[in-house]
Amino acid sequence: MINSSLVLSIVTFVYGFSAVLYISAWIFARKTPAQVARYSAIAGVIGNLFGFVLRWVESYGHGYGHIPLSNLYESLVFFALTIALISIAIGLRYRNDMISTFAMPLAFIALAYASLSPSVSDKIQPLIPALKSNWLTTHVVTCFLGYAGFATAFGIGVMYLVRECLPGRKGGLISRLPEGYVLDELIQKTVMFGFLFLTVGIITGAVWANSAWGTYWSWDPKETWSLITWFVYAIMLHLRYMRGWGGAKIAVISIIGFMAVMFTYFGVNYLPGLHSYGSM
């Protein structure tokens, strides 16, 4: 019988296939692999969304009935979905499939970790009392849209450094990537996208914390690192708009910022705190 875990496992390989084709299209400068990669990515997004909705329906069958955003497995599924969706949308908007070359592998890694890692359980579980709130959807969705924006900015930042900073002639592999000014603009836009959603996520999280634990802020490790991440990107945007920074400097900060995102997402799960359920 088909279930969400099976669907999402299949989508993992679809994302992996798409990522390989994107990289192949970049290396061998062929349009056909890039087009197949795009269609595969779109098929993956559809399957990812179907698996997400199916898991939601399955939760009602277990008698729990909640949106699947309550544990590490479910958050990784949603994270992969948002990364793939944003990267595809940008590629279509700029009519350049190569934009997804460094972003689609991130969607594959996220879903592969969820589907294949023995340390991540795909078991549907009831919500703990703190998660039984209408703020769950708003808080988690906005935070992960922010994370997906930062992940896309990370991929584009890596692409910018490859495009502009590697020694050698500006030909071959380098010339097949979008122009530097396009990538520079995309880093700015995707970081702004992520920053706005992370801001909303932090605010809704504070309101949720007050209703669940009676305090807006408790300096829990996840809260603290979310704030650190917010400041990293706030400083980046300040340097961009007030000091005129761009190019390689901003690309490097986007990479550093994503490292903070990853620690906020994964690293704090190994620390005791109110968000310890995130490691389930």
Side-chain angles (χ1 to χ4, degrees):
M1 180 179 179
I2 190 170
N3 57 49
S4 60
S5 296
L6 175 61
V7 171
L8 293 168
S9 295
I10 294 172
V11 173
T12 300
F13 292 100
V14 175
Y15 279 158
F17 180 65
S18 177
V20 169
L21 285 177
Y22 273 122
I23 294 172
S24 299
W26 173 44
I27 293 174
F28 298 107
R30 294 291 185 268
K31 291 184 177 180
T32 300
Q35 292 173 344
V36 176
R38 187 197 332 133
Y39 293 133
S40 298
I42 293 172
V45 166
I46 294 171
N48 199 160
L49 182 60
F50 175 68
F52 180 82
V53 174
L54 182 58
R55 186 175 178 87
W56 197 345
V57 173
E58 288 171 351
S59 74
Y60 282 90
H62 284 75
Y64 306 142
H66 60 79
I67 186 170
L69 294 171
S70 62
N71 56 34
L72 183 58
Y73 175 83
E74 293 171 350
S75 70
L76 284 165
V77 168
F78 187 71
F79 190 36
L81 173 63
T82 50
I83 292 173
L85 191 58
I86 290 173
S87 66
I88 292 171
I90 293 174
L92 292 174
R93 168 64 179 80
Y94 284 82
R95 297 181 180 178
N96 192 316
D97 291 320
M98 291 299 96
I99 288 172
S100 296
T101 302
F102 290 77
M104 190 54 65
L106 297 177
F108 164 67
I109 291 171
L111 199 55
Y113 184 62
S115 299
L116 305 176
S117 174
S119 63
V120 180
S121 173
D122 64 353
K123 183 180 178 181
I124 297 177
Q125 300 170 325
L127 291 176
I128 64 174
L131 294 179
K132 294 179 180 179
S133 169
N134 292 329
W135 288 105
L136 170 65
T137 303
T138 304
H139 172 64
V140 178
V141 167
T142 52
C143 280
F144 275 94
L145 283 172
Y147 288 176
F150 296 143
T152 307
F154 165 80
I156 297 171
V158 172
M159 187 181 299
Y160 182 92
L161 295 178
V162 171
R163 176 72 174 80
E164 297 295 320
C165 298
L166 286 184
R169 296 181 303 169
K170 300 298 183 183
L173 293 176
I174 306 302
S175 64
R176 295 166 197 160
L177 298 176
E179 292 294 333
Y181 72 89
V182 174
L183 297 176
D184 183 59
E185 176 186 344
L186 281 173
I187 293 171
Q188 170 195 331
K189 289 183 176 180
T190 50
V191 166
M192 178 59 75
F193 175 90
F195 184 76
L196 290 174
F197 277 102
L198 179 61
T199 301
V200 175
I202 290 175
I203 293 172
T204 55
V207 175
W208 184 9
N210 185 60
S211 65
W213 298 301
T215 178
Y216 287 99
W217 197 266
S218 59
W219 295 105
D220 173 79
K222 178 85 75 172
E223 295 173 351
T224 302
W225 273 93
S226 293
L227 186 61
I228 291 172
T229 301
W230 187 90
F231 273 115
V232 169
Y233 285 105
I235 291 170
M236 174 182 173
L237 292 172
H238 172 78
L239 293 172
R240 173 75 177 191
Y241 290 111
M242 304 304 294
R243 297 298 180 90
W245 280 29
K249 293 179 180 178
I250 292 298
V252 169
I253 298 176
S254 73
I255 293 171
I256 294 172
F258 188 61
M259 297 303 101
V261 169
M262 288 293 94
F263 189 81
T264 303
Y265 190 5
F266 293 106
V268 298
N269 291 330
Y270 298 98
L271 302 175
L274 296 174
H275 287 79
S276 59
Y277 54 78
S279 61
M280 292 191 299

